[in-house]
Amino acid sequence: MSSPEELSTAHGTDLAELKTNMNVDYVIQYTIPTDKAEAEAGCIQLIEALTKVGLASKVRHGDESSLLVFVKVASNQYLASQIYRERVQDWLYGVRASSPEKDIAKAFENEPVTEAERLRLVYLLITKPKNDGGAGITPNVGRWKDVTAIFPLHDQAFNNAWIKSWGTKYFLDEQDLDQLRNKFGESVAFYFAFLQSYFAFQIFPAAFGFAAWLILGRYSWLYAFVNSLWSVVFFEWWKQKEVDLVVQWGVRNVSRIQHARTKFRWEHESPDPVTGELVKHYPPTKRLQTQLLQVPFALSCALILGALYIFCFGIEIFITQVYDGPFKSYLAFTPTVILSSILPILSTILTKFAEVLTDRENYQTNDAHSAALIRKIFIINFITSYTPLFLSAFVYMPFGNLMVPYFHLFTTTAGSYYGEKSIATQEFRINPDRLRSQMVYFAVTAQVVNAALEFVVPYVKRVVFKKVEEKTKAKRANEQGQSVPDAPEERKFLQRVRDEAKLDIYDVAVDYREMVVQFGYLSLFSAIWPLTPLSFLINNWIELRSDAMKIAMSSRRPIPWRSDSIGPWLNALGFLSWAGSLVSSAIVFLFSGESEGPGGDPSNVHVVGLLLTVLFAEHLYLGVQFIVRYALEQVDSPGLQKERKERFAMRRQLLEETLGPDAMEAATPPTPKSAEKITLKALEEEARRLSTGGGGTPEQMFWLRQQGMEESIQIARKLISGAKSTKS
């Protein structure tokens, strides 16, 4: 896949070819099985399934063992009807405040179809079950096991302009986010909206942290309080911002519309009591039994990963602060080597186990399955990310001197390895700068390393593999010749498609996880090093643009799914904000002052004071959260104003359609004189009718005793003048 730089330097004809996608909506990659009869039958089934749901398809060769099936909607009129049906469904589910125009042409004129909307509907036509009107093609599952990928093609012209535009901006505006939403859907747009908001909110703690670093120093009570207050305000403000975005993008309550999970295993069917349709069921008690396994899963993660960290932690302390023998400078890298080699393996194993556990929970919808998996992955990330700092802050610094006898084990092991009776050692002393050094690593070094692993390494790997592949393909072509040559006018387009097919799948949850973990460092431990927000501010300005480049250059174009929030990550932010009030208060209590910590002696820890401080911090946090939430709720946001306006227009329209346009005009009350004239005339007619009919009922006679307004006033005056005064 060509980079934006390559596009900008290409010749005009080449650039035109790269800009066009040949009106292709999706590309399906079909891996050819070894059995040619099976391969032919599977490909025929694929094309027939696409044709039956109104999709046209064309086939080209991919690599040596795959085909590329290009898909587009055969009839735009059919696609328009599908989009209109979805908009009506949105209105029925409360996603839209008003129903679409009954005239379909006028509806699309008032609200044009976006590219994301079109691609999402086409993808659903490909993947939805047959009983829901789709082709039922599910990659890598069942009869479609040879369908390895379904992906849309990148819009190279947009990507080029996108990266160039963002590279010259400090802040994103609403138009930038709207463009992303129209291209990649609300799910991706929500991530960039969150990252932009998070970046903008970091300006204040970055400036305040820099001032605190200059004036207050580390472990400042004032900085810890301001930082916790900032985390509360950002968390509560973002919840309000989500409402504005979902109203602006027209996806409020879109999570009510769930897509069935293809791997859902139902046990029985029963008619829905409302619709009468057969609904698939899985006993909730069975799911609950499986969900209860999350408790031992979390404990197992804590034990396994905690044991690894404690082991490496002990080795690091021994080598850096006790061991004074040969090769010390080289042995100092031992914990890093162990963690770098074992931690990814353990994390992968635990993540796979989390996926298996989530699959056994057997959720019926994709959203529920994804949310459950994210919660488990968050537990793993919480342990792997924060355990080193927890060990240093609450084990090494308070209880370091108690660890000295256990270092004898490492000394004996080293002595047996070198064949010496004793190993040169030095006196163990608590390193007061250990916490700060670790925090600097996680706030600066780790961010740089992560950026390299996320963008630079995949790009270099892709370039190298592409060069190797080109040489291998050229050698094979010389030996065997190319069986199906590309048409000259399609050659560059097909090569670009083959390159995109080899890209990684973009998962927005990975980027969310990175930002949430960073937010945890900021809320939990930034009191250790007040420059942490400044470092994250710089990193996130780069991250905002590198993530855009990752989508445009290093990943397949994502499916434009809709979303009405950042999902389970919102709960993770709330948890980290709350936990930050506890951890930061404990750190400040332990390390503030001239001594900066207990010095490894547990007797220097005032347990009662520590517990009271943490308890007070939690209650203060809850009180501040209540105040901030109440204050923000009083602010009338643009999103809520727009929603009320739309609902008012909907009610007005319904009244006009039901009662007519005159019903909305304000009724004009009669003047007193006209009321008297009409009333007297009516009363005279009524009296004449009653006299000729032999009298009336008591109720009728009651209203005939006073004839009109003037007579009522005269009677009232007479009664008032004859009444006794009750006041002096």
Side-chain angles (χ1 to χ4, degrees):
M1 178 177 163
S2 302
S3 65
E5 291 78 12
E6 292 171 344
L7 291 179
S8 61
T9 58
H11 297 292
T13 56
D14 294 340
L15 185 60
E17 289 186 35
L18 289 173
K19 282 184 177 180
T20 178
N21 283 336
M22 301 292 184
N23 295 326
V24 172
D25 288 320
Y26 276 88
V27 178
I28 300 178
Q29 190 174 28
Y30 178 79
T31 301
I32 302 174
T34 54
D35 187 344
K36 298 301 181 182
E38 178 186 354
E40 184 176 341
C43 187
I44 292 174
Q45 288 180 351
L46 175 62
I47 295 175
E48 288 179 346
L50 294 171
T51 304
K52 289 178 181 178
V53 295
L55 299 175
S57 58
K58 300 296 179 183
V59 181
R60 299 290 188 272
H61 73 88
D63 53 24
E64 293 77 7
S65 60
S66 68
L67 299 177
L68 297 176
V69 181
F70 295 88
V71 179
K72 77 166 188 173
V73 179
S75 169
N76 286 329
Q77 184 177 1
Y78 175 69
L79 178 64
S81 67
Q82 293 294 315
I83 294 175
Y84 187 79
R85 286 170 61 90
E86 187 194 56
R87 292 182 178 181
V88 172
Q89 182 191 50
D90 289 347
W91 174 60
L92 294 175
Y93 277 86
V95 178
R96 301 170 61 95
S98 59
S99 62
E101 292 281 350
K102 294 181 179 180
D103 185 351
I104 297 181
K106 187 176 181 181
F108 289 139
E109 182 181 350
N110 296 336
E111 188 179 352
V113 178
T114 65
E115 189 173 350
E117 190 176 18
R118 174 190 175 94
L119 290 176
R120 184 180 66 255
L121 265 296
V122 176
Y123 184 80
L124 290 175
L125 283 175
I126 297 173
T127 59
K128 277 194 309 186
K130 290 183 178 180
N131 55 358
D132 291 337
I137 300 172
T138 52
N140 304 307
V141 177
R143 61 184 292 200
W144 307 112
K145 63 182 183 299
D146 297 321
V147 175
T148 55
I150 303 175
F151 60 94
L153 294 176
H154 277 290
D155 184 342
Q156 292 285 0
F158 171 80
N159 288 353
N160 191 20
W162 176 28
I163 300 303
K164 183 178 180 180
S165 173
W166 283 24
T168 59
K169 286 185 175 182
Y170 291 103
F171 293 95
L172 306 184
D173 53 30
E174 296 294 333
Q175 184 179 359
D176 295 320
L177 297 177
D178 288 341
Q179 287 180 344
L180 285 185
R181 177 237 176 185
N182 293 336
K183 281 288 180 180
F184 303 112
E186 288 79 9
S187 180
V188 173
F190 251 117
Y191 167 70
F192 283 98
F194 169 76
L195 183 52
Q196 167 65 23
S197 300
Y198 179 46
F199 166 75
F201 255 78
Q202 281 183 319
I203 295 176
F204 171 74
F208 185 81
F210 182 75
W213 178 71
L214 290 176
I215 302 172
L216 303 176
R218 51 187 176 180
Y219 310 123
S220 166
W221 282 104
L222 179 59
Y223 174 82
F225 173 77
V226 172
N227 186 67
S228 295
L229 177 63
W230 170 85
S231 69
V232 175
V233 173
F234 171 69
F235 174 65
E236 295 297 333
W237 178 88
W238 172 252
K239 291 195 296 184
Q240 296 291 103
K241 180 65 175 178
E242 281 191 341
V243 176
D244 286 346
L245 290 175
V246 296
V247 173
Q248 177 184 340
W249 292 339
V251 290
R252 188 170 176 84
N253 301 319
V254 76
S255 56
R256 295 176 180 175
I257 303 175
Q258 299 284 334
H259 297 293
R261 184 167 160 264
T262 56
K263 295 183 180 180
F264 173 66
R265 302 175 299 277
W266 53 277
E267 290 195 357
H268 66 278
E269 290 181 316
S270 63
D272 187 278
V274 177
T275 63
E277 298 178 350
L278 288 178
V279 180
K280 298 178 175 62
H281 291 280
Y282 180 77
T285 53
K286 285 190 175 182
R287 181 176 292 118
L288 179 60
Q289 291 174 2
T290 309
Q291 288 173 334
L292 291 176
L293 295 176
Q294 296 182 31
V295 177
F297 170 76
L299 294 176
S300 300
C301 292
L303 289 175
I304 295 173
L305 296 174
L308 174 64
Y309 272 114
I310 291 173
F311 176 72
C312 294
F313 178 75
I315 293 178
E316 180 189 359
I317 298 301
F318 172 75
I319 293 176
T320 57
Q321 296 185 239
V322 177
Y323 180 73
D324 197 26
F327 308 110
K328 178 177 180 178
S329 58
Y330 299 102
L331 291 175
F333 294 99
T334 302
T336 304
V337 172
I338 295 175
L339 283 175
S340 301
S341 57
I342 298 180
L343 186 59
I345 298 174
L346 283 179
S347 298
T348 302
I349 294 174
L350 291 174
T351 302
K352 291 293 183 183
F353 185 77
E355 293 174 353
V356 172
L357 183 59
T358 306
D359 187 64
R360 287 176 60 86
E361 292 171 3
N362 195 25
Y363 292 97
Q364 189 169 0
T365 63
N366 291 325
D367 289 346
H369 178 85
S370 176
L373 180 60
I374 287 174
R375 285 191 291 267
K376 298 178 182 65
I377 292 178
F378 173 71
I379 294 174
I380 298 174
N381 292 142
F382 185 90
I383 297 172
T384 56
S385 301
Y386 308 131
T387 298
L389 287 168
F390 274 115
L391 288 175
S392 295
F394 302 110
V395 177
Y396 170 77
M397 300 296 284
F399 306 103
N401 292 335
L402 300 181
M403 301 168 57
V404 175
Y406 297 97
F407 291 144
H408 178 70
L409 175 64
F410 296 110
T411 305
T412 304
T413 303
S416 62
Y417 178 78
Y418 289 108
E420 301 177 8
K421 294 183 178 180
S422 62
I423 293 295
T425 60
Q426 58 185 350
E427 182 182 358
F428 172 76
R429 292 182 180 178
I430 293 293
N431 180 11
D433 291 328
R434 178 179 177 82
L435 264 178
R436 185 190 63 83
S437 300
Q438 283 185 302
M439 197 62 217
V440 170
Y441 168 80
F442 286 115
V444 180
T445 310
Q447 302 296 319
V448 175
V449 172
N450 182 70
L453 293 175
E454 187 179 69
F455 185 76
V456 178
V457 172
Y459 179 78
V460 173
K461 183 177 67 174
R462 189 171 64 255
V463 171
V464 172
F465 284 175
K466 185 176 181 179
K467 295 294 184 182
V468 173
E469 183 183 5
E470 288 176 353
K471 292 182 179 180
T472 305
K473 187 182 295 184
K475 182 178 179 181
R476 188 180 296 109
N478 293 332
E479 295 175 354
Q480 302 176 359
Q482 189 173 3
S483 57
V484 184
D486 296 331
E489 63 274 12
E490 297 179 358
R491 186 175 296 118
K492 288 186 177 295
F493 168 71
L494 292 177
Q495 184 56 49
R496 179 166 66 87
V497 175
R498 294 178 187 120
D499 290 342
E500 288 190 26
K502 298 170 185 175
L503 298 177
D504 296 328
I505 299 175
Y506 176 73
D507 185 4
V508 70
V510 175
D511 288 335
Y512 272 127
R513 179 177 60 192
E514 182 182 349
M515 288 297 102
V516 170
V517 168
Q518 185 195 100
F519 179 81
Y521 283 122
L522 191 57
S523 60
L524 293 170
F525 302 107
S526 65
I528 298 172
W529 191 51
L531 291 180
T532 300
L534 179 60
S535 174
F536 287 161
L537 178 71
I538 298 172
N539 173 82
N540 290 343
W541 189 92
I542 301 172
E543 184 76 22
L544 196 63
R545 288 141 186 86
S546 65
D547 285 344
M549 294 181 68
K550 180 171 64 174
I551 294 177
M553 300 175 59
S554 303
S555 306
R556 296 176 189 166
R557 183 172 179 172
I559 307 298
W561 292 118
R562 295 192 295 179
S563 177
D564 56 6
S565 74
I566 63 174
W569 299 111
L570 184 64
N571 295 329
L573 288 175
F575 170 77
L576 290 173
S577 178
W578 167 79
S581 66
L582 309 183
V583 175
S584 60
S585 62
I587 288 176
V588 171
F589 179 84
L590 288 173
F591 301 104
S592 61
E594 296 180 359
S595 60
E596 290 196 352
D601 188 355
S603 62
N604 294 331
V605 178
H606 302 284
V607 179
V608 176
L610 176 62
L611 295 177
L612 290 176
T613 299
V614 172
L615 184 64
F616 174 77
E618 181 188 23
H619 284 73
L620 181 61
Y621 171 87
L622 296 176
V624 170
Q625 184 183 44
F626 175 81
I627 296 173
V628 171
R629 182 179 301 170
Y630 177 80
L632 290 175
E633 288 176 352
Q634 307 310 306
V635 179
D636 196 10
S637 64
L640 294 177
Q641 290 179 358
K642 181 182 178 182
E643 187 177 41
R644 289 198 303 272
K645 183 179 179 181
E646 291 176 348
R647 295 193 181 280
F648 172 77
M650 179 190 67
R651 291 193 297 268
R652 184 183 182 91
Q653 180 182 358
L654 289 175
L655 286 174
E656 289 180 351
E657 292 177 354
T658 305
L659 304 177
D662 295 337
M664 298 306 297
E665 297 180 1
T668 304
T671 62
K673 292 184 178 179
S674 63
E676 179 182 5
K677 182 178 179 181
I678 295 173
T679 302
L680 288 173
K681 183 178 180 181
L683 290 174
E684 289 172 358
E685 291 293 333
E686 183 68 15
R688 189 180 299 109
R689 186 183 65 81
L690 292 176
S691 62
T692 57
T697 64
E699 292 84 2
Q700 293 172 329
M701 299 305 297
F702 173 81
W703 287 102
L704 290 175
R705 289 193 177 100
Q706 294 178 13
Q707 302 294 322
M709 179 184 69
E710 292 296 336
E711 189 171 349
S712 296
I713 293 175
Q714 291 176 5
I715 296 297
R717 287 174 175 173
K718 183 178 180 181
L719 294 175
I720 292 173
S721 62
K724 294 181 179 180
S725 178
T726 58
K727 295 184 179 180
S728 56

